[in-house]
């Protein structure tokens, strides 16, 4: 949150009584891009900040979103929060997970994979999607869904399973996550379980540090096979056997 502190460093701290008495003065200072912090009984209760369209709104939303990180909420509460706060977030096992911004190499890898998949599925009925794209998944025998944003996914039922808000509530055939330090444990544990228990056929985890691909295949909501592929090996998809990738090409910059 250091970036927010720099933007919103307070110019003065006043009491609520002083604000009521001199509201016009502090509103005028806000138009001059000055911030005022308001206290009551010695505690900070509010801030009067200048309105800077889009940029300020984004930072305020981002700051508010941090308050929800790791919070256990109902699915209905999550939907309300995700529609209110301008931040990328997932909902796994009843918990809100904020999504950090990826680095440039992560984006290079995602871009390479997207080009490979886009080329392969051109003219076919299945379609490739990139994050951020909400995917609502129902795990077997669990009523409350998870909502995730895989880096890449292939869906074959989008015509009937994408709602008017652009959210997908079907079963992807194939999903891919590119590991980062902030998502590694979640991608390899929580999401693995979610994908397996929701009926997905195939899951690739891309390890950008070791330049390897971990391929998981599922059947009947259980793990069927797990294989690790290194840079010089060729990887074929289980769900789409004609799709073959030389692993090192995924990591080309």
């Amino acid at each position: 949150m250091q970036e927010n502190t720099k933007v919103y460093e307070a110019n003065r701290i006043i009491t609520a009584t002083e604000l009521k008495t001199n509201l016009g003065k502090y509103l005028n200072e806000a138009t001059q891009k000055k911030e005022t912090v308001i206290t009551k009984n010695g505690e900070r209760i509010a801030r009067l900040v200048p309105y800077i369209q889009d940029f300020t709104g984004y930072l305020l939303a981002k700051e508010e979103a941090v308050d929800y990180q790791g919070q256990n909420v109902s699915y209905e509460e999550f939907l309300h929060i995700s529609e209110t706060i301008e931040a990328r977030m997932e909902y796994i096992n009843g918990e809100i997970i904020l999504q950090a911004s990826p680095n440039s190499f992560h984006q290079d890898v995602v871009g390479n994979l997207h080009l490979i998949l886009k080329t392969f599925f051109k003219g076919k009925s299945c379609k490739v999607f990139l994050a951020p794209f909400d995917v609502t998944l129902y795990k077997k025998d669990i009523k409350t869904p998870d909502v995730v944003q895989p880096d890449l996914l292939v869906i074959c039922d989008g015509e009937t399973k994408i709602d008017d808000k652009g959210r997908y509530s079907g079963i992807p055939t194939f999903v891919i996550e590119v590991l980062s330090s902030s998502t590694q444990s979640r991608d390899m544990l929580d999401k693995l379980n979610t994908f397996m228990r929701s009926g997905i056929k195939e899951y690739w985890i891309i390890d950008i540090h070791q330049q390897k691909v971990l391929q998981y295949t599922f059947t009947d909501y259980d793990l069927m096979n797990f294989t690790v592929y290194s840079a010089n090996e060729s990887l074929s998809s289980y769900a789409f056997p004609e799709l073959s990738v030389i692993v090192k090409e995924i990591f080309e910059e």
Side-chain angles (χ1 to χ4, degrees):
M1 297 305 298
Q2 293 179 345
E3 66 271 27
N4 290 9
T5 302
K6 291 178 182 178
V7 173
Y8 291 121
E9 184 176 356
N11 289 304
R12 69 176 71 227
I13 299 176
I14 65 171
T15 65
T17 300
E18 186 176 352
L19 176 66
K20 292 177 183 178
T21 304
N22 299 288
L23 178 60
K25 171 186 175 181
Y26 295 115
L27 286 176
N28 184 59
E29 290 193 352
T31 66
Q32 300 174 34
K33 296 181 173 56
K34 295 181 180 180
E35 177 191 326
T36 300
V37 174
I38 300 97
T39 67
K40 185 175 183 180
N41 298 326
E43 295 185 3
R44 299 186 182 200
I45 60 169
R47 286 185 300 191
L48 180 61
V49 298
Y51 176 75
I52 305 173
Q53 188 172 6
D54 295 333
F55 181 64
T56 297
Y58 170 75
L59 288 179
L60 287 174
K62 184 177 180 182
E63 183 176 67
E64 186 176 353
V66 173
D67 294 336
Y68 292 107
Q69 171 71 20
Q71 293 294 313
N72 287 99
V73 299
S74 69
Y75 174 59
E76 290 72 21
E77 289 171 325
F78 167 77
L79 289 180
H80 174 72
I81 293 167
S82 65
E83 291 173 356
T84 304
I85 303 300
E86 294 182 18
R88 283 187 60 193
M89 58 180 66
E90 297 181 310
Y91 180 67
I92 301 174
N93 299 328
E95 181 178 321
I96 292 177
I97 308 294
L98 296 182
Q99 296 289 84
S101 298
N103 62 36
S104 60
F105 186 45
H106 179 284
Q107 292 301 81
D108 284 339
V109 171
V110 170
N112 291 340
L113 284 163
H114 183 247
L115 180 59
I116 292 168
L117 295 178
K118 193 79 172 178
T119 301
F120 177 80
F121 286 103
K122 185 177 181 179
K124 297 181 172 65
S125 58
C126 299
K127 189 173 180 180
V128 183
F129 287 83
L130 280 163
F133 179 65
D134 280 345
V135 179
T136 302
L137 299 174
Y138 286 85
K139 292 179 286 192
K140 184 181 180 182
D141 301 325
I142 297 179
K143 183 178 180 181
T144 301
D146 289 347
V147 180
V148 296
Q149 293 187 356
D151 286 314
L152 295 129
L153 67 152
V154 176
I155 64 176
C156 303
D157 56 358
E159 291 185 1
T160 59
K161 298 297 183 178
I162 297 178
D163 64 21
D164 56 2
K165 293 184 178 181
R167 293 182 299 223
Y168 173 70
S169 298
I171 302 175
T173 302
F174 175 30
V175 292
I176 299 175
E177 292 284 11
V178 179
L179 290 183
S180 64
S181 57
S182 63
T183 66
Q184 182 168 330
S185 61
R186 187 164 64 252
D187 290 343
M188 299 186 72
L189 295 173
D190 295 333
K191 284 191 177 180
L192 172 62
N193 181 64
T194 293
F195 296 152
M196 178 177 68
R197 302 296 293 169
S198 61
I200 290 171
K201 291 184 178 180
E202 184 170 7
Y203 176 34
W204 291 5
I205 293 178
I206 311 300
D207 186 333
I208 60 178
H209 298 294
Q210 298 189 49
Q211 299 204 354
K212 293 182 179 180
V213 177
L214 288 64
Q215 181 191 42
Y216 296 84
T217 59
F218 311 115
T219 185
D220 296 328
Y221 306 99
D222 203 353
L223 180 66
M224 181 176 72
N225 192 44
F226 166 62
T227 308
V228 179
Y229 293 87
S230 58
N232 292 320
E233 294 183 291
S234 178
L235 164 62
S236 293
S237 168
Y238 161 71
F240 303 98
E242 294 180 0
L243 173 61
S244 183
V245 180
I246 297 175
V247 172
K248 65 181 180 182
E249 294 179 355
I250 294 173
F251 303 101
E252 292 178 349
E253 296 186 57

